[in-house]
Amino acid sequence: MTGEHETERHGAWVRPHMDWGTIGRARVRLPGPAPETPAAIGDVELMPLSREFYGWWLWARGSRIMPSPEDVNPRPLVEILPYLR
């Protein structure tokens, strides 16, 4: 199915997730306390989803430069996965 009908079919489940209120409530689900996550990096303000993802990144990497492949688990990211591309 393509064209207009395809858009209508996907719009029913996509539209609620694109509401700013819904986006602003999406959180990562960490098993422990979240690290202190800055609201900006340099002069770039982080949007709520970016800040959530960055908080997960800081938590997953611990004291290393970046998380290892074993640290990447979609379970804590389930609420923000629809927004990652």
Side-chain angles (χ1 to χ4, degrees), residues 3-81:
E4 185 178 328
H5 296 291
E6 185 72 13
T7 302
E8 290 174 10
R9 187 171 67 105
H10 290 299
W13 68 269
V14 171
R15 195 171 302 116
H17 295 285
M18 299 313 289
D19 174 70
W20 283 112
T22 303
I23 293 169
R25 289 188 302 273
R27 300 285 180 261
V28 294
R29 300 176 182 178
L30 301 178
E36 185 73 27
T37 306
I41 298 175
D43 61 347
V44 177
E45 181 181 349
L46 296 176
M47 299 301 288
L49 288 174
S50 298
R51 194 169 181 199
E52 284 293 312
F53 184 71
Y54 188 46
W56 168 82
W57 179 268
L58 293 173
W59 173 82
R61 75 175 190 155
S63 61
R64 299 166 300 186
I65 292 175
M66 63 185 293
S68 69
E70 295 81 29
D71 297 322
V72 179
N73 177 348
R75 205 173 284 256
L77 303 172
V78 69
E79 287 187 38
I80 67 169
L81 280 175

